[in-house]
Amino acid sequence: MPVPPQDRLTNPLARVLGHARQPVLALRAMRKSNRIGPLVAALVMLSGIHASAAELDVRIEPENRALRENIENYIGDLGDRDARELLRYSRVAQRQAEKALQALGYYRSRIRTDVREGEEPTLVLRVRTGEPVRLRNINVRLEGPAAEFSGFRVTQRSLRQGDVLNHGRYEDVKQQFLNQASRFGYFDGRFTQQRLAVDPRENIADIDLVFDSGPRYRLGDVRFEGDAPFDDDLLSRMVPFEANTPYDSELIAELTQALQSSGYFEGVRVDANPTSAREQRIPVAVSLTTRKPRTFGLGLGYSTDVGPRIRLDWTRHWVNPQGHSYGAEAELSAPRQNVGLWYDIPLDPPLTDKLRFVGGYQYEEIAGTDSLSRLLRVGPEWHSQLPSGWLRVLSLKWQHEEYRLGDDSGLSTLLMPGVAYSYLRSDNRIDPSHGYRLQFELAAAKAGLLSDADLIHANAQLRGLTTLGKRHRFLGRVQLGGNWTDEYVNVPPSLRYFAGGDQSVRGYDYQSLSPTNSDGDKIGGRYQFAVSAEYQYSISEKWRVATFFDQGNAFNSLEIPTLKSAVGVGVRWVSPVGPIRVDVAHPLDGDGGVRLHFSMGPEL
């Protein structure tokens, strides 16, 4: 990519030599204005007449692409000059080329200019570079309190003895000192030495760059302003640092992000101005604008698992000064309808930890059968994020389920304490190119303790995604699940396993893979296993084609279970809410023909 004229490769030298870019541009614009007035320009545009643009031809001997591009970018567009004007301008272009060469360490170059006439007049620059200036003595040093701070890092690998002088790299190292000082609060820092001495005759250059950091400032008390109707205790628990913490601009960014992600505020502005500091302590002023307390959402979707579906949600984002919130959500589709309520109490820290009380009712028809389930579930959940990044949910759920499976019907009551862990790492939440997700869930019930059966219920899911060469994407998925009980007849359908469908084994209908009773009715299995391997090729930024292999089943015995397999192809379109997937899959076990699958959402 060509270096723009304002890039560090040219600007630093312009400052060293006392020249500025803007006057040249202004002079060029003035000449153009004298040559053709506004009225004439308008007439030329309206009549469709335009002059041929002048061209620049830079020839470097020996060939050096970086030098050529820097000269071209420094001189810039020649406009619509004719041959005579190019000849007058050639001396200016020669001086600009000299600066561009010196910026990259070539001080003893010879430049000849020539103008080639024709329909497109061309300014030709012939450059013989000569020997470049090389670095001899390099003294880059950090002094002051920052010298004892390991976080203050300045990389000077670009300045090595014997390397060709590059003014841009020299300026980069200087800017690193300033950036690190600004980030970590060394606001009194200054260069006690900053010298670049060039001897063009000997082709050598010496660098002396010494930065004295001065004292490190600290963050003072955080003061909240605005119309936020929340307790100071709640707001202070969102602050990711204590008063008198050494300044770090990342902490200010974390505070801003934390307040924005809380869901309470429409506007957040954090001001930590060093000019307001007293005795190197910077007061932090936070201005908040509270969001509207209620929102309502409506979503429409479709998948081949459940067909068309409608999703509704209503949220009260804050109820009281302690930041409590509650809401309701519902999802309606042909085989399944559910409604749920929740109430959240923020804990410490309030952005990641909360106590949630949930309740819900679900009616579901087992796909392809006349079996059904009516489930009522209530109980508390404790959500927390561990220092390692894992999300943990501890729960105590009471569920009451009335069901019919084939000719059998039953009523199940279970009190199940449980724990769930999940971990997500990805480079993009909507459409990642690399990442993985891990999920583990364990719950249990004890007969006689508000439960009808002894039961251990466990699930695990692993998803992974990587991309090679920007176009080749590889996805993998493993699902495991199991019930351990001596009274399987008392396990309700909501805890049994049915495989098949968009998110399980494609090529088979939703919940169509299951053990059956003596009448052939699908009654769900004790265990589940499913794997998927998929390859995608990006044919454009938004479109991909895919091929995949799925295998899995639900079964009652761990002794060499029968697994169903399918292969297929598909198309992906990357929408604002995640990839929309259309797949065609064919079972490899003679269980039917081709099946169409449609789904959407992030792949991790």
Side-chain angles (χ1 to χ4, degrees), residues 316-328:
R316 176 69 188 260
H317 297 282
W318 50 271
V319 182
N320 52 31
Q322 291 74 42
H324 294 196
S325 59
Y326 60 83

Side-chain angles (χ1 to χ4, degrees), residues 174 379 384 558 561:
K174 288 176 59 178
S384 59
L558 294 177

Side-chain angles (χ1 to χ4, degrees), residues 99-116:
K99 296 174 186 177
L101 290 164
Q102 291 171 5
L104 296 181
Y106 290 83
Y107 277 73
R108 302 182 65 180
S109 302
R110 288 184 295 172
I111 305 174
R112 291 172 49 206
T113 62
D114 186 21
V115 175
R116 192 167 59 230

Side-chain angles (χ1 to χ4, degrees), residues 222-226 252 255-257 259-260 265-272 284-289:
V222 179
R223 184 180 73 256
F224 293 95
E225 305 168 345
I252 301 301
L255 173 59
T256 303
Q257 178 62 30
L259 293 169
Q260 289 174 339
F265 308 110
E266 187 177 72
V268 176
R269 190 182 67 196
V270 179
D271 182 13
V284 181
V286 181
S287 178
L288 300 171
T289 304

Side-chain angles (χ1 to χ4, degrees), residues 217-398:
Y217 283 50
R218 294 180 175 270
L219 292 166
D221 296 326
V222 179
R223 184 180 73 256
F224 293 95
E225 305 168 345
D227 60 351
F230 301 107
D231 286 344
D232 289 339
D233 176 66
L234 174 66
L235 297 175
S236 64
R237 284 188 281 129
M238 297 185 192
V239 179
F241 55 84
E242 301 289 338
N244 212 38
T245 297
Y247 181 92
D248 186 340
S249 62
E250 289 295 315
L251 293 175
I252 301 301
E254 287 178 19
L255 173 59
T256 303
Q257 178 62 30
L259 293 169
Q260 289 174 339
S261 64
S262 67
Y264 297 138
F265 308 110
E266 187 177 72
V268 176
R269 190 182 67 196
V270 179
D271 182 13
N273 194 333
T275 60
S276 304
R278 293 185 178 180
E279 299 180 351
Q280 285 87 46
R281 279 175 56 98
I282 305 173
V284 181
V286 181
S287 178
L288 300 171
T289 304
T290 307
R291 69 178 299 175
K292 295 180 179 180
R294 302 175 185 85
T295 57
F296 175 78
L298 170 64
L300 303 176
Y302 177 86
S303 72
T304 46
D305 280 354
V306 299
R309 66 176 182 268
I310 300 175
R311 182 177 178 84
L312 308 167
D313 65 82
W314 179 88
T315 304
R316 176 69 188 260
H317 297 282
W318 50 271
V319 182
N320 52 31
Q322 291 74 42
H324 294 196
S325 59
Y326 60 83
E329 54 191 10
E331 184 175 311
L332 308 175
S333 64
R336 183 172 61 231
Q337 302 91 48
N338 63 65
V339 60
L341 304 172
W342 56 266
Y343 188 98
D344 284 354
I345 301 174
L347 301 176
D348 191 17
L351 297 175
T352 57
D353 291 24
K354 64 186 176 183
L355 181 61
R356 166 170 283 197
F357 295 93
V358 297
Y361 174 80
Q362 176 176 289
Y363 174 86
E364 182 172 14
E365 297 176 359
I366 308 301
T369 72
D370 59 356
S371 303
L372 57 85
S373 165
R374 297 183 178 91
L375 171 64
L376 176 66
R377 181 180 292 166
V378 295
E381 298 175 348
W382 175 26
H383 295 244
S384 59
Q385 182 170 357
L386 305 180
S388 60
W390 284 84
L391 297 178
R392 182 186 64 192
V393 179
L394 301 176
S395 61
L396 180 62
K397 298 290 181 63
W398 178 85

Side-chain angles (χ1 to χ4, degrees), residues 469-473 535-546 570-574:
K470 296 184 179 181
R471 290 183 178 271
H472 306 278
R473 296 165 56 88
Y535 166 74
Q536 298 177 2
Y537 179 77
S538 299
I539 57 178
S540 68
E541 183 180 359
K542 297 292 185 180
W543 289 93
R544 302 168 186 147
V545 292
V571 177
R572 311 285 182 262
W573 177 65
V574 183

Side-chain angles (χ1 to χ4, degrees), residues 111-287:
I111 305 174
R112 291 172 49 206
T113 62
D114 186 21
V115 175
R116 192 167 59 230
E117 299 185 13
E119 292 186 6
E120 296 181 346
T122 302
L123 175 60
V124 182
L125 271 67
R126 294 180 173 86
V127 180
R128 292 183 62 88
T129 58
E131 289 296 318
V133 171
R134 297 184 179 274
L135 297 177
R136 182 178 63 177
N137 299 319
I138 303 171
N139 176 32
V140 178
R141 192 168 70 251
L142 172 64
E143 296 180 344
E148 306 298 325
F149 175 45
S150 61
F152 198 112
R153 299 188 183 93
V154 173
T155 303
Q156 61 182 74
R157 289 193 298 268
S158 58
L159 300 179
R160 294 178 298 187
Q161 191 176 39
D163 283 355
V164 175
L165 169 64
N166 185 309
H167 286 263
R169 293 174 183 172
Y170 169 73
E171 291 294 326
D172 281 342
V173 173
K174 288 176 59 178
Q175 192 62 46
Q176 285 184 54
F177 278 109
L178 298 176
N179 291 345
Q180 292 284 286
S182 176
R183 173 183 171 177
F184 292 114
Y186 296 96
F187 296 113
D188 296 334
R190 63 187 182 89
F191 287 103
T192 56
Q193 295 183 49
Q194 49 175 332
R195 185 178 71 95
L196 172 58
V198 179
D199 185 346
R201 291 186 178 181
E202 298 295 330
N203 286 331
I204 57 174
D206 297 331
I207 291 176
D208 283 302
L209 202 58
V210 180
F211 187 81
D212 185 353
S213 69
R216 187 177 185 182
Y217 283 50
R218 294 180 175 270
L219 292 166
D221 296 326
V222 179
R223 184 180 73 256
F224 293 95
E225 305 168 345
D227 60 351
F230 301 107
D231 286 344
D232 289 339
D233 176 66
L234 174 66
L235 297 175
S236 64
R237 284 188 281 129
M238 297 185 192
V239 179
F241 55 84
E242 301 289 338
N244 212 38
T245 297
Y247 181 92
D248 186 340
S249 62
E250 289 295 315
L251 293 175
I252 301 301
E254 287 178 19
L255 173 59
T256 303
Q257 178 62 30
L259 293 169
Q260 289 174 339
S261 64
S262 67
Y264 297 138
F265 308 110
E266 187 177 72
V268 176
R269 190 182 67 196
V270 179
D271 182 13
N273 194 333
T275 60
S276 304
R278 293 185 178 180
E279 299 180 351
Q280 285 87 46
R281 279 175 56 98
I282 305 173
V284 181
V286 181
S287 178

